[in-house]
Amino acid sequence: MENMYKSLGISRQVLEFGKKTEEALKERFEAIDRRAEYNQLKVIKAMQDNRVSDIHFAATTGYGYNDLGRDILEEVFASVFQTESALVRPQLISGTHALHIALSGNLRPGDELLSPNGKPYDTLEEVIGIRESAGSLKEYGVAYRQVDLLGDGTFDFEGIRKAINEKTKLMTIQRSKGYAARPTFSVEQIGEVIAFAKSIKPDLICMVDNCYGEFVETIEPTQAGADMAVGSLIKNPGGGLAPIGGYIVGRKDCIDRASYRLSAPGLGKEVGASLGLNQSFFQGLFLSPTVVAGALKGAIFAANIYEKLGFAVVPDGRQERYDIIQSITFGTPEGVIAFCKGIQAAAPVDSFVTPEPWDMPGYDAPVIMAAGAFVQGSSIELSADAPIKPPYAVYFQGGLTWYHAKLGILMSLQKLLEAGAVKI
Ligand SMILES: *Cc1c(COP(=O)(O)O)cnc(C)c1O
């Protein structure tokens, strides 16, 4: 084993440090495995109950009328998330697109949209019109209001009570912190804010941006009162196999409205060819609980490694996890650059390229990104990115297997050592 790690570029010193860290995490890893076991059974039960068969893997083309595989896949998602209906499509090209379809399908001119967790994920700013943008909800006459979180990262229930008015139609809750500095919400916390909001306005549509949260816990937000949950198939629920796609699960009327927005009024869910992708979607969902477990172990391993070396990590090495994202603050550009180089060097694809910071459109500082992925932009695969500006924090997530996540983190440490950015 040591020779194999050595052949990949990991020194004995780094390997030993990793080994000691891993040994102390045995119990946490066992708890993650138990949760993955439960979620694996949940997915198998959903596939059995819906009588998934190999005929469902056949491709359709053109309009995609009577695409049995597509329809059964949506039934399986509805079973897993315990909802009346689901829209799971390659025509939903990303998480942002799925969120846009769910919002624009369910909001009408004169309605107000409420976010109880402050500013939502970056890409939603243009969808909503927080940042001026052609085609935004704002342009269509949908107003927006947000209630910021309290100082300790919890919901401001009094503020939410005051914000809900006769125009408030839909509340969108973001489960994962994404790249913001606040804790990720547990499904239980999301359930509390939904119950509170519905006690004020029972017909309020409550939607959850579920990105990065799927299968981290044994229940999903739709089991805690959410009318809709939305996410990307190149994150957790695609299991690394889905090459594209998004999902919206929830109440039948909400999903139908979203489907009329995705295709056309009158057509809805009846059209949309699956083009031969169904097998990847089914199989990716099937693998997702174990893939998420591997990614979680990687995040916890990284938190413990870098916490020991004196860096600030969020979540910390012991905290309960509600998503797969880990942030590490290195405090120097050299630190984040060395970390990203390590993640890249450990990848199965493009391990030979060196990531460099560049001026990406839409960002106010150069950004460095590391990803050696089978699917472009897939962030369930091991990936890291960081804006080159104070506090010099890197965000990293994913790993299709725990062993790959572990190699990536050991390699990041190796590169930091070689750059003289840490001492162990
Ligand atoms: C990734 C993400 C999105 C957007 O998904 P894309 O597939 O990148 O468009 C939205 N919200 C959250 C919380 C995310 O993590």
Side-chain angles (χ1 to χ4, degrees):
M1 186 74 91
E2 199 181 315
N3 284 339
M4 184 55 81
Y5 273 110
K6 197 171 155 206
S7 75
L8 284 155
I10 304 293
S11 67
R12 187 179 190 155
Q13 187 192 15
V14 166
L15 191 58
E16 275 305 309
F17 192 77
K19 199 170 162 190
K20 276 205 206 90
T21 308
E22 186 181 345
E23 273 162 9
L25 294 172
K26 215 160 162 260
E27 267 176 45
R28 292 233 27 214
F29 282 13
E30 276 169 15
I32 289 171
D33 286 335
R34 275 196 299 278
R35 223 168 286 162
E37 182 178 354
Y38 182 89
N39 285 327
Q40 178 74 84
L41 298 175
K42 177 161 76 176
V43 170
I44 293 172
K45 179 83 166 75
M47 291 191 177
Q48 292 183 353
D49 287 350
N50 289 287
R51 301 174 65 87
V52 172
S53 171
D54 68 354
I55 59 161
H56 299 131
F57 307 150
T60 57
T61 55
Y63 294 121
Y65 293 134
N66 304 313
D67 186 324
L68 291 181
R70 176 197 67 206
D71 294 347
I72 292 292
L73 178 72
E74 289 180 339
E75 292 298 319
V76 168
F77 264 75
S79 297
V80 166
F81 286 90
Q82 294 193 17
T83 57
E84 293 171 358
S85 186
L87 193 61
V88 186
R89 304 281 167 127
Q91 288 83 10
L92 289 168
I93 60 170
S94 66
T96 303
H97 187 207
L99 288 159
H100 169 61
I101 293 295
L103 290 171
S104 57
N106 281 282
L107 288 160
R108 295 292 178 269
D111 288 343
E112 195 167 280
L113 168 66
L114 173 67
S115 165
N117 51 256
K119 196 174 76 65
Y121 194 77
D122 269 11
T123 56
L124 285 190
E125 289 184 19
E126 281 165 290
V127 168
I128 294 168
I130 301 171
R131 264 188 288 149
E132 286 303 324
S133 172
S136 68
L137 289 169
K138 187 177 166 194
E139 253 193 20
Y140 284 90
V142 174
Y144 170 75
R145 193 185 287 255
Q146 73 182 39
V147 178
D148 290 333
L149 294 171
L150 297 174
D152 63 357
T154 59
F155 291 112
D156 175 3
F157 287 98
E158 245 345 275
I160 294 168
R161 182 197 302 283
K162 288 195 193 112
I164 294 175
N165 60 67
E166 70 285 353
K167 289 198 295 185
T168 315
K169 172 74 163 292
L170 193 153
M171 178 167 83
T172 179
I173 306 148
Q174 185 181 314
R175 179 171 175 181
S176 169
K177 65 182 175 301
Y179 303 130
R182 57 122 167 131
T184 287
F185 301 118
S186 66
V187 171
E188 190 184 347
Q189 285 173 301
I190 291 171
E192 281 163 14
V193 78
I194 291 174
F196 178 78
K198 288 197 183 237
S199 76
I200 297 162
K201 193 163 193 189
D203 61 352
L204 183 69
I205 298 172
C206 293
M207 175 183 122
V208 175
D209 173 351
N210 209 23
C211 282
Y212 289 131
E214 299 92 349
F215 298 128
V216 173
E217 298 181 64
T218 51
I219 56 165
E220 297 293 336
T222 41
Q223 294 165 270
D227 300 297
M228 277 191 289
V230 184
S232 164
L233 296 187
I234 62 167
K235 293 178 180 172
N236 304 15
L241 292 187
I244 191 172
Y247 76 88
I248 308 170
V249 291
R251 231 169 59 192
K252 184 174 182 305
D253 61 314
C254 295
I255 301 303
D256 284 348
R257 282 191 293 265
S259 76
Y260 295 131
R261 183 73 194 203
L262 176 64
S263 59
L267 300 182
K269 289 178 69 178
E270 304 295 319
V271 295
S274 55
L275 303 169
L277 295 170
N278 281 337
Q279 189 198 335
S280 306
F281 292 155
F282 280 111
Q283 202 171 353
L285 179 68
F286 172 75
L287 290 179
S288 175
T290 49
V291 169
V292 168
L296 276 173
K297 288 178 188 175
I300 292 170
F301 184 62
N304 280 274
I305 292 255
Y306 286 106
E307 195 169 54
K308 263 200 229 172
L309 295 170
F311 298 104
V313 295
V314 180
D316 73 28
R318 280 154 304 281
Q319 264 169 329
E320 191 60 54
R321 302 272 157 162
Y322 303 119
D323 67 10
I324 62 168
I325 299 178
Q326 182 65 46
S327 85
I328 305 162
T329 301
F330 286 106
T332 63
E334 294 76 31
V336 295
I337 291 169
F339 181 93
C340 289
K341 285 184 173 169
I343 295 296
Q344 188 75 40
V349 179
D350 289 336
S351 62
F352 49 87
V353 306
T354 305
E356 299 286 352
W358 62 297
D359 288 307
M360 261 178 77
Y363 291 83
D364 57 357
V367 176
I368 185 167
M369 294 186 160
F374 294 100
V375 172
Q376 187 196 99
S378 167
S379 48
I380 187 60
E381 298 188 51
L382 192 64
S383 47
D385 42 63
I388 307 295
K389 63 176 184 186
Y392 299 105
V394 65
Y395 293 88
F396 107 99
Q397 65 273 315
L400 294 185
T401 69
W402 150 237
Y403 306 113
H404 176 219
K406 177 177 169 180
L407 175 66
I409 294 149
L410 293 177
M411 192 69 83
S412 71
L413 180 54
Q414 186 73 42
K415 297 284 182 201
L416 277 147
L417 263 182
E418 287 167 10
V422 288
K423 279 204 181 64
I424 56 176

